[in-house]
Amino acid sequence: MKKVLLSILTGFVMVGSSVVLPGQAAAGTVAERAYVAPAASGRDVISEIIDVVGLKARFEVRAANVPNAAAVILNGKRYILYNEQFLSQVNNALRTDWAGISILAHEIGHHLNGHTLSKGGSNLQDELEADEFSGFVLRKMGASLSEAQAAIRLLAEERDSYTHPGKKNRLAAISKGWGNAQDQIVASAKAGTPSRTVAAASTSAMRETPVTTTARRSVSRMPAQYILRQVKLVSAPQERIYVTTQFNLVRETEDGIEVIGKLQKTNNRNYPYVLESRYFSDLFVNTNGLLLNEDGERVGVLTTT
């Protein structure tokens, strides 16, 4: 995918494969008019991807009249070039922005793995390495395995070509990268929790969650000043579960407030907290307050009450 990333969607008209940058086409030519200015959204995604791997972006991101997306070196300078219409069509077809993000992550993988320094063009091994990088990055950014594989599942050819692997091998490479990132996330979260045992309610914790047995079920029995966040679970939308100001995880029952777990800090900046409970498996909290299980699936959210 250093020159051509993916097979084009059926019915998608393939534009010219030549790369056009400002000043390289004669004034008034079709190529110059076809050039699109750099897209802020593309640059924002690149920043997120680079932030995940902890490196500096030593390349420019440009929307251009390429067929889909490409990592190239022009006049000694590195570029990530992409076709805005192509990415938009892929995202719309799959109904997820993760498709376009995975394509850009793949191209970044080519640069960071040094593939663009060779003059041999695309080859099977380089493509698999870039796919693995894409899977790794998308898991770090919060995508599920299905979301990380969506673009390749739709667009890749079934069989190997001279330059690109077949769909099965490419999906496996993405899965490998995604799994490696998942292992890091789980290990980091566990390392950041001093104890996997749910802390028992202390006397002070009990004082912060007074029980009012006469209160109606629809009204929280806990004073608002002691509630840090409410836990909304997709599988149990009617449950009233809260994180208290002392980071206890509590559940409202007919008999009062029950301490069921703890909000713990981790060493992972993308998943700074984990919810531990005897009622469900660990749920990781990302920087947007989304709750994800160990398979990377979004299962809930932390909200204000």
Side-chain angles (χ1 to χ4, degrees):
M1 293 187 190
K2 287 171 284 185
K3 301 300 182 183
V4 178
L5 174 64
L6 299 169
S7 299
I8 306 302
L9 282 165
T10 302
F12 181 77
V13 179
M14 190 171 182
V15 298
S17 59
S18 59
V19 175
V20 180
L21 294 177
Q24 290 186 323
T29 64
V30 174
E32 185 178 32
R33 290 197 299 272
Y35 178 78
V36 183
S41 59
R43 294 199 300 271
D44 291 342
V45 168
I46 297 299
S47 296
E48 290 183 43
I49 294 171
I50 291 300
D51 186 58
V52 163
V53 295
L55 298 175
K56 291 185 178 180
R58 300 187 181 279
F59 45 79
E60 287 190 19
V61 184
R62 297 286 185 92
N65 67 337
V66 293
N68 30 64
V72 299
I73 297 178
L74 296 172
N75 299 324
K77 191 168 185 176
R78 294 181 176 186
Y79 292 92
I80 298 291
L81 306 176
Y82 66 96
N83 183 306
E84 287 185 306
Q85 184 181 13
F86 171 76
L87 293 186
S88 177
Q89 288 188 345
V90 172
N91 285 341
N92 289 337
L94 293 168
R95 299 182 182 277
T96 175
D97 291 342
W98 288 116
I101 293 173
S102 71
I103 291 172
L104 293 174
H106 176 102
E107 297 307 327
I108 291 175
H110 279 310
H111 273 319
L112 297 185
N113 282 302
H115 300 159
T116 49
L117 299 177
S118 66
K119 297 182 179 180
S122 298
N123 62 73
L124 304 187
Q125 185 59 39
D126 285 357
E127 296 305 324
L128 290 177
E129 288 180 1
D131 284 335
E132 183 177 339
F133 177 84
S134 175
F136 180 89
V137 165
L138 262 69
R139 176 63 190 96
K140 288 281 191 173
M141 294 175 69
S144 68
L145 178 58
S146 177
E147 289 168 332
Q149 293 177 323
I152 292 299
R153 191 179 299 280
L154 176 68
L155 300 172
E157 298 289 348
E158 293 294 337
R159 298 179 179 275
D160 290 356
S161 69
Y162 179 73
T163 58
H164 290 74
K167 181 182 296 185
K168 180 179 179 180
N169 289 335
R170 301 194 66 180
L171 291 175
I174 293 172
S175 179
K176 179 181 178 181
W178 192 95
N180 289 340
Q182 173 69 8
D183 290 343
Q184 287 187 12
I185 291 170
V186 172
S188 178
K190 289 181 178 179
T193 55
S195 173
R196 306 300 290 177
T197 304
V198 176
S202 64
T203 302
S204 60
M206 292 300 291
R207 282 200 298 268
E208 77 170 13
T209 58
V211 176
T212 308
T213 57
T214 58
R216 293 175 57 190
R217 179 69 174 167
S218 60
V219 179
S220 172
R221 296 182 175 90
M222 183 181 301
Q225 64 265 33
Y226 297 123
I227 298 176
L228 183 64
R229 289 289 187 272
Q230 183 170 5
V231 179
K232 293 284 191 179
L233 298 176
V234 174
S235 61
Q238 302 304 317
E239 287 284 352
R240 287 182 172 269
I241 302 174
Y242 304 96
V243 176
T244 73
T245 52
Q246 292 193 4
F247 305 106
N248 285 317
L249 186 64
V250 301
R251 172 174 171 262
E252 180 185 334
T253 71
E254 293 293 346
D255 298 323
I257 299 298
E258 177 186 13
V259 179
I260 62 172
K262 196 80 173 176
L263 179 70
Q264 301 274 23
K265 287 186 177 181
T266 75
N267 294 326
N268 189 298
R269 64 178 178 177
N270 295 310
Y271 300 89
Y273 296 97
V274 59
L275 285 176
E276 297 180 334
S277 174
R278 60 178 177 270
Y279 282 95
F280 46 75
S281 299
D282 292 350
L283 300 180
F284 299 97
V285 186
N286 71 9
T287 53
N288 294 319
L290 296 178
L291 302 178
L292 297 92
N293 61 22
E294 292 190 351
D295 294 324
E297 299 169 332
R298 299 172 191 173
V299 296
V301 65
L302 292 183
T303 68
T304 55
T305 55

